Amino acid sequence: MFQSLLKSLFGCSHQRTTFPITPGRRHAGPPVLGGNRAGTYVVCLDCGREFAYDWSEMRVGAPVAPPAAAPETQPMFR
């Protein structure tokens, strides 16, 4: 509980991340909306944010832009 209170006040420190992920070259299916999947990235295991990863410097970089929200569909009434 104390940990969650600190995170809500100060934000996540992004210390626990995944191993760098590089998407495959062949992507079967629709393109990712708004996500920048052209390069390598890591994901924070605590908050879920994605960050670019630079293999040459082996450092976590800037946050990746969140995917754009899909437009909401309206139900059809007859």
Side-chain angles (χ1 to χ4, degrees):
M1 180 169 158
F2 183 70
Q3 201 97 31
S4 63
L5 178 63
L6 286 177
K7 283 184 186 178
S8 66
L9 291 175
F10 300 109
C12 184
S13 62
H14 312 299
Q15 291 183 357
R16 294 180 348 120
T17 59
T18 62
F19 189 77
I21 302 166
T22 304
R25 292 195 169 139
R26 295 182 190 184
H27 178 27
V32 178
L33 294 174
N36 182 8
R37 294 292 185 267
T40 305
Y41 65 98
V42 295
V43 179
C44 177
L45 295 172
D46 293 325
C47 69
R49 288 192 64 188
E50 298 176 359
F51 297 90
Y53 187 81
D54 183 11
W55 273 112
S56 61
E57 300 214 8
M58 296 208 170
R59 302 191 111 192
V60 175
V64 175
E72 213 173 294
T73 58
Q74 298 293 324
M76 289 182 49
F77 296 105
R78 292 190 181 223

